Amino acid sequence: MALGGAGGTMPKTMLAARLHEVGEALRIEQVPVPEVGPDDVLVKIAACGTQDGDHQLIHGMLPLNRRPLIIGHEPAGTIAAVGSNVRQVREGDRVFVSPSLSCGQCADCRNGNGNYCAQYAVMGMSYFAPPGRERFERYGDGGFAEYMLIPAGNANPLPDTISFEQAAKIAFLGVALKAAERAHVRAGATVIVTGASGALGTCAVMCAHALGATTIVAIARDAARLERVRQVHPATVISHAAGTDPELEGVRALLPQKGADVLIDCLPTALDVTQRAIGLLRRGGRAVLIGGVRGPINIDYRHFMLSEIEVTGSVGMGPGTYPRVVDLMRSGVVDFTHFITHRFPLAQANEAIAAVMAKTGDPLGVVITP
């Protein structure tokens, strides 16, 4: 088996960062390079993003149902080898790896809703129901490694104009775009984005602007980090520091009298802020929840009913979102040029995750490069 574009011999082992037990640091160790089956693709990883989901997995806030596990679910790289049945990609192709696993055959998968599939799982993370176990056993290992085995259908062509490091954070942009579309963000809309200074929130601001919102109120605790978000489009984006206004009383004055059209909630914590932000929607407004806060939301029944507010969730980006994300990036409508702020070698995977959680140096986009 030859390395794609390298003309060398495939190594038998590779460096990987593996999670062995909940609460333990990742172990940086040599493991066998996966064997490629007929329908598989082997990707030589060039960059893999990290974010708080990796921290949650390590510390037991997500199910760790395979051990040891190579984590990392934001990978990009080059095709190193392909299986005998694979025709859609070839060795040497640049690819973004879609981390979602599903059966591909059920009604939900055929309708583009693979995240509803009973076998749904995320490579480098977890499977979420027993039917997903078998597929995860084969393809569960993620991108904190020199090589990654994936189903051929999870390899997405990556244009030369998008760097591997930018591709390693494309998933955030895809998640945000899918959410903004589910919330019906349209030209002229007034949009609130909570958790706006984080990577997901910044992408939500970018997507709301790309879809035509004329007023975007970006809410986060840190005023200094919000100034960076405001630069996405200073004529459209208004920043509001919740650290000095936890009740969001000052936000009402920034909105039309009727309230906001859309809320995109990107908060990983602070349910109380999410609830207050929902209360800022106009009648018929729509909230989409993508931050992953744990716990119940309490909404006054009659207000919810009489105002005809809609609250929905969104997860992942789905197969149809990736091409639109690429178009936004290639056209310059979304500027990802300065999105990558921190780079770590694979041997420092633990330090990369710690930087995300400590918010050291405003870690907007943190990537690991094997």
Side-chain angles (χ1 to χ4, degrees):
M1 187 182 298
L3 268 171
T9 302
M10 180 70 70
K12 295 185 181 299
T13 63
M14 65 180 185
L15 195 66
R18 297 204 295 178
L19 177 58
H20 285 258
E21 297 293 340
V22 170
E24 287 188 0
L26 301 176
R27 300 182 196 176
I28 313 301
E29 50 198 359
Q30 289 286 331
V31 300
V33 173
E35 294 188 8
V36 180
D39 301 308
D40 300 341
V41 163
L42 188 70
V43 178
K44 181 174 175 60
I45 300 299
C48 185
T50 185
Q51 35 99 338
D52 57 1
D54 294 324
H55 171 84
Q56 292 173 16
L57 181 67
I58 291 170
H59 292 279
M61 290 175 273
L62 292 169
L64 176 61
N65 39 33
R66 192 186 117 186
R67 294 176 294 178
L69 177 72
I70 301 173
I71 74 168
H73 57 284
E74 300 179 343
T78 306
I79 301 294
V82 300
S84 57
N85 294 337
V86 177
R87 299 291 181 268
Q88 62 267 49
V89 292
R90 58 186 180 180
E91 292 181 19
D93 284 356
R94 304 172 80 250
V95 294
F96 160 76
V97 177
S98 173
S100 298
L101 295 172
S102 57
C103 75
Q105 304 299 319
C106 68
D108 287 323
C109 286
R110 292 196 303 271
N111 290 330
N113 296 314
N115 54 302
Y116 300 168
C117 177
Q119 296 184 30
Y120 178 69
V122 178
M123 291 183 280
M125 186 170 276
S126 305
Y127 64 89
F128 302 100
R133 177 176 180 176
E134 182 177 355
R135 196 160 178 80
F136 192 79
E137 285 293 332
R138 177 160 184 79
Y139 299 113
D141 280 329
F144 284 13
E146 294 179 287
Y147 294 91
M148 180 177 177
L149 186 73
I150 66 172
N154 288 65
N156 299 276
L158 182 67
D160 292 339
T161 52
I162 300 176
S163 72
F164 287 122
E165 290 184 348
Q166 290 174 338
K169 303 306 294 184
I170 274 182
F172 273 102
L173 194 58
V175 169
L177 180 60
K178 178 186 171 188
E181 290 175 337
R182 282 181 62 82
H184 304 160
V185 176
R186 292 182 170 85
T190 297
V191 178
I192 296 171
V193 178
T194 50
S197 64
L200 185 56
T202 301
C203 286
V205 171
M206 291 178 175
C207 290
H209 169 62
L211 294 175
T214 52
T215 302
I216 304 168
V217 180
I219 300 173
R221 285 177 294 188
D222 191 314
R225 296 179 72 197
L226 273 172
E227 178 56 27
R228 181 250 301 149
V229 180
R230 196 180 68 82
Q231 295 305 316
V232 168
H233 195 261
T236 301
V237 181
I238 304 169
S239 61
H240 185 83
T244 57
D245 180 21
E247 300 295 322
L248 305 186
E249 293 177 355
V251 177
R252 181 73 67 180
L254 304 174
L255 302 172
Q257 186 175 2
K258 64 181 180 178
D261 299 300
V262 171
L263 164 66
I264 305 176
D265 183 78
C266 303
L267 284 167
T269 58
L271 270 171
D272 55 337
V273 176
T274 299
Q275 291 177 186
R276 292 185 191 111
I278 290 173
L280 295 170
L281 290 170
R282 65 166 173 81
R283 290 189 173 187
R286 189 173 176 91
V288 58
L289 311 181
I290 57 175
V293 183
R294 296 165 66 93
I297 293 177
N298 298 314
I299 303 174
D300 179 79
Y301 188 109
R302 288 182 62 81
H303 173 73
F304 190 64
M305 178 185 76
L306 297 175
S307 297
E308 295 190 346
I309 291 170
E310 297 181 51
V311 179
T312 187
S314 185
V315 63
M317 66 177 182
T321 308
Y322 176 73
R324 297 198 297 281
V325 167
V326 169
D327 286 345
L328 288 176
M329 294 177 70
R330 293 175 72 176
S331 67
V333 173
V334 167
D335 183 5
F336 238 43
T337 307
H338 305 294
F339 199 82
I340 308 304
T341 56
H342 292 59
R343 299 166 178 84
F344 291 84
L346 180 58
Q348 294 180 15
N350 289 299
E351 290 84 347
I353 296 170
V356 171
M357 300 311 298
K359 295 182 171 50
T360 306
D362 191 9
L364 179 62
V366 179
V367 296
I368 291 169
T369 55

